[in-house]
Amino acid sequence: MRYKVSLSGDAQRGLGTLTPAQRRAVHGAQETLARRPREVGEPYEGSGPEALRRWVLPAARVSIMYRVLDRAVVVEVVWLIGHP
């Protein structure tokens, strides 16, 4: 099953604050999120299937916070955080 990846308003604003290299890393990660969102990242807040998950991309210095919404077949990226 392939998920649709959507960015919340906060994630879109966060994307604008990232460096070009960090944005490229996030765009590449979106392909992985669309194919296997539960295999990457780890539960960060809450429990159950719609818990907030965090996937850290150490080489790009970016954290992706997202939820997997199985019923809608959507991965919603809630936050993108760039680390200096």
Side-chain angles (χ1 to χ4, degrees), residues 6-18 77-80:
S6 68
L7 299 176
S8 72
D10 287 333
Q12 289 175 2
R13 283 186 291 282
L15 188 63
T17 67
L18 301 178
V77 177
V78 180
W79 295 98
L80 291 170

Side-chain angles (χ1 to χ4, degrees), residues 5 24-45 51-68 75-83:
V5 178
R24 283 191 297 276
V26 167
H27 288 300
Q30 286 178 329
E31 181 63 29
T32 302
L33 286 174
R35 286 182 286 123
R36 48 189 179 94
R38 295 201 188 280
E39 294 178 27
V40 297
E42 58 190 30
Y44 181 75
E45 184 179 285
L52 183 65
R53 301 178 68 83
R54 177 178 63 181
W55 183 17
V56 178
L57 307 175
R61 300 181 331 266
V62 175
S63 293
I64 301 173
M65 310 292 278
Y66 65 98
R67 293 185 196 284
V68 181
V75 173
E76 179 187 26
V77 177
V78 180
W79 295 98
L80 291 170
I81 304 165
H83 307 281

